[in-house]
Amino acid sequence: MSRQDTVPGASAAIGAALYGLATRTVRRLPRDMSLTSVATLATLDRTGPRRITDLAAVEGVTQPAITALVRVMEESGLVERRGDASDKRVTLVCLTEAGASYVRTRRQAGVHAFERLIGELTGDEVEALVAALPALKHLAELESQDREGPKQ
């Protein structure tokens, strides 16, 4: 029996709860930018400058699509392209200060939304979430590693 199955059905029940919470949360986010654009900015914030080909793979879109998306975000002042000091043939996409500020503001709005919801829980429910924090953080790390691959 694997660690995940120590309580029969626990992995499925936890997965369903987390998936439901995540999808409802995403639906409530402001729509001032496409989800792919927001995800791309967040990836650049977490991992630093990336090649276009890497961004396309991480975000699950084609290279022409990410190129067009980067062009629009570049025109909006959220990202810029810079040469790679280690390989002059390579261009990296980097967050600008405006892009980093956008990511911070959006992330903080999400944190505040969860704070409001958590404020409606019972003390025991809040304690259960506190106890689950290490596992939730580890899940986030595992998901990021699977999705983003090695940092450039």
Side-chain angles (χ1 to χ4, degrees):
M1 183 177 278
S2 71
R3 285 184 302 186
Q4 295 91 338
D5 295 329
T6 55
V7 177
S11 294
I14 293 166
L18 290 174
Y19 183 79
L21 180 60
T23 55
R24 285 190 293 281
T25 301
V26 168
R27 284 190 196 119
R28 292 177 184 231
L29 293 174
R31 297 294 181 163
D32 57 335
M33 184 180 297
S34 74
L35 292 177
T36 305
S37 296
V38 172
T40 301
L41 292 174
T43 295
L44 292 170
D45 185 58
R46 277 190 312 277
T47 67
R50 302 289 290 248
R51 295 177 179 201
I52 287 280
T53 53
D54 294 338
L55 281 175
V58 168
E59 302 308 331
V61 297
T62 64
Q63 188 169 338
I66 200 78
T67 299
L69 184 132
V70 165
R71 185 175 4 89
V72 169
M73 291 192 300
E74 192 173 25
E75 291 168 359
S76 299
L78 300 172
V79 299
E80 62 186 9
R81 297 175 202 231
R82 292 186 191 154
D84 184 348
S86 65
D87 185 345
K88 300 296 182 197
R89 300 168 296 171
V90 174
T91 300
L92 299 173
V93 179
C94 311
L95 271 184
T96 62
E97 182 51 42
S101 177
Y102 178 86
V103 171
R104 283 191 303 271
T105 300
R106 191 166 175 118
R107 188 174 290 133
Q108 194 58 45
V111 168
H112 288 314
F114 276 109
E115 285 176 333
R116 284 190 299 275
L117 289 172
I118 292 166
E120 296 180 29
L121 298 176
T122 67
D124 288 345
E125 290 169 325
V126 173
E127 286 180 25
L129 287 176
V130 168
L133 274 175
L136 292 171
K137 288 178 181 179
H138 189 208
L139 277 175
E141 290 168 5
L142 292 171
E143 193 282 331
S144 290
Q145 291 169 2
D146 283 352
R147 190 168 172 264
E148 294 167 359
K151 185 176 175 177
Q152 292 297 313

